[in-house]
Amino acid sequence: MTDRVVRTLDRSEHLAAYEVFAEALHAPRGADENRERIERAHQVGRCLGAFDGDELVGTARSVDASVAVPGGGSVPASAVTGVGVRPHRTRRGVLRELMNAQLGAFRERGVPLAGLLASEGAIYGRFGYGVATVERSLRVWRHGTRVREQAPSGGDVELLDMDAAVRRVPEIYRSLAPARPGMLSRPEQLWAGWEGFYRRSSGVARGVVYHGRDGVEGYAMYLVERGRDGGDGACVLSVDDMLACSDSAFAELWRFLLGVDLVDRVEVSNRPLDEPVDALLDDPQACRTTGMHDHLWLRLVDVPAALAARAYGPDAAVVLSVHDPVLPDNSGTYRVSAAGVERTDLAAQLRAEVDTLAMLYLGTWRPSALAGVGRLEVIDPAAVEPADRLFAGAVPPWCGTGF
Ligand SMILES: CC(=O)SCCNC(=O)CCNC(=O)[C@H](O)C(C)(C)COP(=O)(O)OP(=O)(O)OC[C@H]1O[C@@H](n2cnc3c(N)ncnc32)[C@H](O)[C@@H]1OP(=O)(O)O
């Protein structure tokens, strides 16, 4: 037993929470000079603090958002961020208390899903989070390659400075109707964090917007810096946020990125696994995958509601037993089919911990693959192939939002 208390912080305590988070991440504290933006990034009523006596020792916050799921729907989801415990107060259960309180609050508010980006992969599985999207980082050496002539062309690009990007990009993102499973809505608090990321960067950030036949069809945010990583002195154009909603937008944004003078290479992070950048170029070898990373981790807070919110492949049904040690109401047996999801007394064919269910949820991982590594327990082998068909999505899930 400890005499620690976890409670919701009020607005006047948000800067102190930010300081704890910055300290935990070894980032400069600097709350004062960024006060206005930090305040905008915190949603009132969604920031938790853990106190040891009077000392704020840990924090976790969230933002009300939604996630696109297979079938075209979108499900309310709490975007969890700002998780940190002061370095001299770690490994004594502070995070566990914060996570338990936060998940309890999500449950009370009836939020079916929670999502986060994990700083380290070994932390969040125990709280029921699983890797729900895997994304690709890539590098294109600019000299000696270009977008193939046969790729779609036309339209025009418009350049934005940072102030214009702050005014325009949020509305563009909203209007392009994020629909790929895993894509997150971006409430104003996430845009405040997005702005902070670019304003704090050492390079100059700019946006490029693509105007096609039907209006705005895509954008990219980019920074140009010399020797950003690795110290090889190369001039690097890096893209951390890009959305292309048509073939022309994809080709023309890349034509622009590869055409920026003085740049040696273009580095792009967190892209969909099936985005055909290599095939777009006249030299596919100019494009190298530099990483495939977990990005969005999901947590099914309300298992039946979350399962019922997505669509499933046709002509298959499985009986799945779920175990949730943190939110035990979720534990039970569910019959899942394209017709719907219901609790059942039928004998389970497959058994999953709730973090494994999160890995299956958007379709990133096949049930057979997770069974093969011992994450999904197979009671009836005949259920594996139908489960693969049930959970598969039409395209690889992708989030693409940093938060
Ligand atoms: C969504 C985001 O915001 S991601 C950013 C997360 N924050 C950071 O990475 C900042 C630096 N790290 C920290 O602030 C802290 O070390 C935290 C938040 C990761 C962990 O906080 P703590 O209070 O030390 O965790 P706590 O003591 O409650 O540990 C709970 C469990 O997680 C485990 N755990 C905690 N940190 C880690 C870690 N980094 N790696 C692996 N396991 C961990 C503990 O061993 C414990 O395991 P148990 O289930 O076997 O008991």
PDB file of all heavy atoms in Angstrom, residues 369-387:
ATOM      1  N   ALA A 369      -0.784 -15.903 -38.031  1.00  0.00           N
ATOM      2  CA  ALA A 369       0.582 -15.487 -37.686  1.00  0.00           C
ATOM      3  C   ALA A 369       0.718 -15.352 -36.172  1.00  0.00           C
ATOM      4  O   ALA A 369       1.729 -15.767 -35.585  1.00  0.00           O
ATOM      5  CB  ALA A 369       0.917 -14.162 -38.373  1.00  0.00           C
ATOM      6  N   LEU A 370      -0.293 -14.798 -35.521  1.00  0.00           N
ATOM      7  CA  LEU A 370      -0.203 -14.629 -34.065  1.00  0.00           C
ATOM      8  C   LEU A 370      -0.330 -15.976 -33.354  1.00  0.00           C
ATOM      9  O   LEU A 370       0.266 -16.187 -32.287  1.00  0.00           O
ATOM     10  CB  LEU A 370      -1.268 -13.637 -33.580  1.00  0.00           C
ATOM     11  CG  LEU A 370      -1.112 -12.220 -34.130  1.00  0.00           C
ATOM     12  CD1 LEU A 370      -2.095 -11.262 -33.457  1.00  0.00           C
ATOM     13  CD2 LEU A 370       0.316 -11.693 -33.932  1.00  0.00           C
ATOM     14  N   ALA A 371      -1.074 -16.904 -33.967  1.00  0.00           N
ATOM     15  CA  ALA A 371      -1.126 -18.265 -33.399  1.00  0.00           C
ATOM     16  C   ALA A 371       0.247 -18.912 -33.516  1.00  0.00           C
ATOM     17  O   ALA A 371       0.718 -19.583 -32.583  1.00  0.00           O
ATOM     18  CB  ALA A 371      -2.184 -19.095 -34.124  1.00  0.00           C
ATOM     19  N   GLY A 372       0.911 -18.673 -34.638  1.00  0.00           N
ATOM     20  CA  GLY A 372       2.219 -19.288 -34.886  1.00  0.00           C
ATOM     21  C   GLY A 372       3.284 -18.855 -33.898  1.00  0.00           C
ATOM     22  O   GLY A 372       4.250 -19.589 -33.665  1.00  0.00           O
ATOM     23  N   VAL A 373       3.131 -17.678 -33.309  1.00  0.00           N
ATOM     24  CA  VAL A 373       4.134 -17.221 -32.336  1.00  0.00           C
ATOM     25  C   VAL A 373       3.604 -17.344 -30.900  1.00  0.00           C
ATOM     26  O   VAL A 373       4.179 -16.780 -29.965  1.00  0.00           O
ATOM     27  CB  VAL A 373       4.596 -15.773 -32.618  1.00  0.00           C
ATOM     28  CG1 VAL A 373       5.342 -15.699 -33.944  1.00  0.00           C
ATOM     29  CG2 VAL A 373       3.426 -14.788 -32.597  1.00  0.00           C
ATOM     30  N   GLY A 374       2.496 -18.049 -30.761  1.00  0.00           N
ATOM     31  CA  GLY A 374       2.001 -18.344 -29.412  1.00  0.00           C
ATOM     32  C   GLY A 374       1.252 -17.209 -28.750  1.00  0.00           C
ATOM     33  O   GLY A 374       0.998 -17.237 -27.551  1.00  0.00           O
ATOM     34  N   ARG A 375       0.869 -16.191 -29.526  1.00  0.00           N
ATOM     35  CA  ARG A 375       0.083 -15.098 -28.921  1.00  0.00           C
ATOM     36  C   ARG A 375      -1.409 -15.427 -28.903  1.00  0.00           C
ATOM     37  O   ARG A 375      -2.140 -14.921 -28.069  1.00  0.00           O
ATOM     38  CB  ARG A 375       0.293 -13.792 -29.690  1.00  0.00           C
ATOM     39  CG  ARG A 375       1.566 -13.069 -29.325  1.00  0.00           C
ATOM     40  CD  ARG A 375       1.599 -11.705 -30.001  1.00  0.00           C
ATOM     41  NE  ARG A 375       2.819 -11.000 -29.677  1.00  0.00           N
ATOM     42  CZ  ARG A 375       2.934 -10.089 -28.717  1.00  0.00           C
ATOM     43  NH1 ARG A 375       1.894  -9.792 -27.970  1.00  0.00           N
ATOM     44  NH2 ARG A 375       4.078  -9.487 -28.505  1.00  0.00           N
ATOM     45  N   LEU A 376      -1.830 -16.229 -29.874  1.00  0.00           N
ATOM     46  CA  LEU A 376      -3.241 -16.607 -29.949  1.00  0.00           C
ATOM     47  C   LEU A 376      -3.305 -18.104 -29.686  1.00  0.00           C
ATOM     48  O   LEU A 376      -2.647 -18.884 -30.388  1.00  0.00           O
ATOM     49  CB  LEU A 376      -3.757 -16.278 -31.355  1.00  0.00           C
ATOM     50  CG  LEU A 376      -5.239 -16.488 -31.632  1.00  0.00           C
ATOM     51  CD1 LEU A 376      -6.077 -15.490 -30.820  1.00  0.00           C
ATOM     52  CD2 LEU A 376      -5.509 -16.272 -33.129  1.00  0.00           C
ATOM     53  N   GLU A 377      -4.087 -18.499 -28.689  1.00  0.00           N
ATOM     54  CA  GLU A 377      -4.175 -19.924 -28.359  1.00  0.00           C
ATOM     55  C   GLU A 377      -5.228 -20.577 -29.260  1.00  0.00           C
ATOM     56  O   GLU A 377      -6.362 -20.084 -29.358  1.00  0.00           O
ATOM     57  CB  GLU A 377      -4.560 -20.093 -26.886  1.00  0.00           C
ATOM     58  CG  GLU A 377      -4.500 -21.529 -26.423  1.00  0.00           C
ATOM     59  CD  GLU A 377      -5.028 -21.683 -24.991  1.00  0.00           C
ATOM     60  OE1 GLU A 377      -5.065 -20.683 -24.239  1.00  0.00           O
ATOM     61  OE2 GLU A 377      -5.417 -22.810 -24.655  1.00  0.00           O
ATOM     62  N   VAL A 378      -4.832 -21.658 -29.919  1.00  0.00           N
ATOM     63  CA  VAL A 378      -5.750 -22.341 -30.833  1.00  0.00           C
ATOM     64  C   VAL A 378      -6.332 -23.571 -30.139  1.00  0.00           C
ATOM     65  O   VAL A 378      -5.605 -24.503 -29.794  1.00  0.00           O
ATOM     66  CB  VAL A 378      -5.020 -22.755 -32.128  1.00  0.00           C
ATOM     67  CG1 VAL A 378      -5.970 -23.509 -33.059  1.00  0.00           C
ATOM     68  CG2 VAL A 378      -4.441 -21.532 -32.820  1.00  0.00           C
ATOM     69  N   ILE A 379      -7.644 -23.553 -29.930  1.00  0.00           N
ATOM     70  CA  ILE A 379      -8.306 -24.711 -29.331  1.00  0.00           C
ATOM     71  C   ILE A 379      -8.847 -25.596 -30.456  1.00  0.00           C
ATOM     72  O   ILE A 379      -8.724 -26.818 -30.405  1.00  0.00           O
ATOM     73  CB  ILE A 379      -9.453 -24.239 -28.395  1.00  0.00           C
ATOM     74  CG1 ILE A 379      -8.860 -23.328 -27.314  1.00  0.00           C
ATOM     75  CG2 ILE A 379     -10.179 -25.425 -27.757  1.00  0.00           C
ATOM     76  CD1 ILE A 379      -9.864 -22.394 -26.672  1.00  0.00           C
ATOM     77  N   ASP A 380      -9.408 -24.964 -31.478  1.00  0.00           N
ATOM     78  CA  ASP A 380      -9.932 -25.696 -32.631  1.00  0.00           C
ATOM     79  C   ASP A 380      -9.197 -25.215 -33.884  1.00  0.00           C
ATOM     80  O   ASP A 380      -9.474 -24.114 -34.382  1.00  0.00           O
ATOM     81  CB  ASP A 380     -11.443 -25.426 -32.747  1.00  0.00           C
ATOM     82  CG  ASP A 380     -12.032 -26.063 -33.990  1.00  0.00           C
ATOM     83  OD1 ASP A 380     -11.295 -26.747 -34.733  1.00  0.00           O
ATOM     84  OD2 ASP A 380     -13.242 -25.861 -34.227  1.00  0.00           O
ATOM     85  N   PRO A 381      -8.267 -26.045 -34.411  1.00  0.00           N
ATOM     86  CA  PRO A 381      -7.461 -25.592 -35.570  1.00  0.00           C
ATOM     87  C   PRO A 381      -8.308 -25.205 -36.779  1.00  0.00           C
ATOM     88  O   PRO A 381      -7.883 -24.380 -37.596  1.00  0.00           O
ATOM     89  CB  PRO A 381      -6.583 -26.814 -35.890  1.00  0.00           C
ATOM     90  CG  PRO A 381      -6.542 -27.603 -34.612  1.00  0.00           C
ATOM     91  CD  PRO A 381      -7.850 -27.372 -33.921  1.00  0.00           C
ATOM     92  N   ALA A 382      -9.536 -25.746 -36.871  1.00  0.00           N
ATOM     93  CA  ALA A 382     -10.392 -25.416 -38.023  1.00  0.00           C
ATOM     94  C   ALA A 382     -10.820 -23.946 -38.005  1.00  0.00           C
ATOM     95  O   ALA A 382     -11.335 -23.427 -38.999  1.00  0.00           O
ATOM     96  CB  ALA A 382     -11.629 -26.319 -38.029  1.00  0.00           C
ATOM     97  N   ALA A 383     -10.615 -23.269 -36.877  1.00  0.00           N
ATOM     98  CA  ALA A 383     -11.058 -21.864 -36.777  1.00  0.00           C
ATOM     99  C   ALA A 383     -10.013 -20.877 -37.302  1.00  0.00           C
ATOM    100  O   ALA A 383     -10.327 -19.699 -37.507  1.00  0.00           O
ATOM    101  CB  ALA A 383     -11.382 -21.530 -35.323  1.00  0.00           C
ATOM    102  N   VAL A 384      -8.792 -21.335 -37.536  1.00  0.00           N
ATOM    103  CA  VAL A 384      -7.719 -20.374 -37.853  1.00  0.00           C
ATOM    104  C   VAL A 384      -7.922 -19.730 -39.231  1.00  0.00           C
ATOM    105  O   VAL A 384      -7.840 -18.512 -39.377  1.00  0.00           O
ATOM    106  CB  VAL A 384      -6.334 -21.058 -37.746  1.00  0.00           C
ATOM    107  CG1 VAL A 384      -5.233 -20.099 -38.199  1.00  0.00           C
ATOM    108  CG2 VAL A 384      -6.088 -21.520 -36.316  1.00  0.00           C
ATOM    109  N   GLU A 385      -8.203 -20.562 -40.218  1.00  0.00           N
ATOM    110  CA  GLU A 385      -8.345 -20.017 -41.581  1.00  0.00           C
ATOM    111  C   GLU A 385      -9.560 -19.074 -41.673  1.00  0.00           C
ATOM    112  O   GLU A 385      -9.435 -17.946 -42.194  1.00  0.00           O
ATOM    113  CB  GLU A 385      -8.420 -21.184 -42.576  1.00  0.00           C
ATOM    114  CG  GLU A 385      -8.335 -20.774 -44.036  1.00  0.00           C
ATOM    115  CD  GLU A 385      -9.703 -20.406 -44.614  1.00  0.00           C
ATOM    116  OE1 GLU A 385     -10.736 -20.930 -44.119  1.00  0.00           O
ATOM    117  OE2 GLU A 385      -9.735 -19.567 -45.518  1.00  0.00           O
ATOM    118  N   PRO A 386     -10.729 -19.460 -41.129  1.00  0.00           N
ATOM    119  CA  PRO A 386     -11.837 -18.485 -41.148  1.00  0.00           C
ATOM    120  C   PRO A 386     -11.509 -17.215 -40.369  1.00  0.00           C
ATOM    121  O   PRO A 386     -11.931 -16.112 -40.758  1.00  0.00           O
ATOM    122  CB  PRO A 386     -13.008 -19.228 -40.485  1.00  0.00           C
ATOM    123  CG  PRO A 386     -12.619 -20.658 -40.410  1.00  0.00           C
ATOM    124  CD  PRO A 386     -11.148 -20.778 -40.639  1.00  0.00           C
ATOM    125  N   ALA A 387     -10.742 -17.345 -39.285  1.00  0.00           N
ATOM    126  CA  ALA A 387     -10.379 -16.136 -38.524  1.00  0.00           C
ATOM    127  C   ALA A 387      -9.521 -15.214 -39.387  1.00  0.00           C
ATOM    128  O   ALA A 387      -9.681 -13.990 -39.353  1.00  0.00           O
ATOM    129  CB  ALA A 387      -9.648 -16.515 -37.245  1.00  0.00           C
TER     130      ALA A 387
END
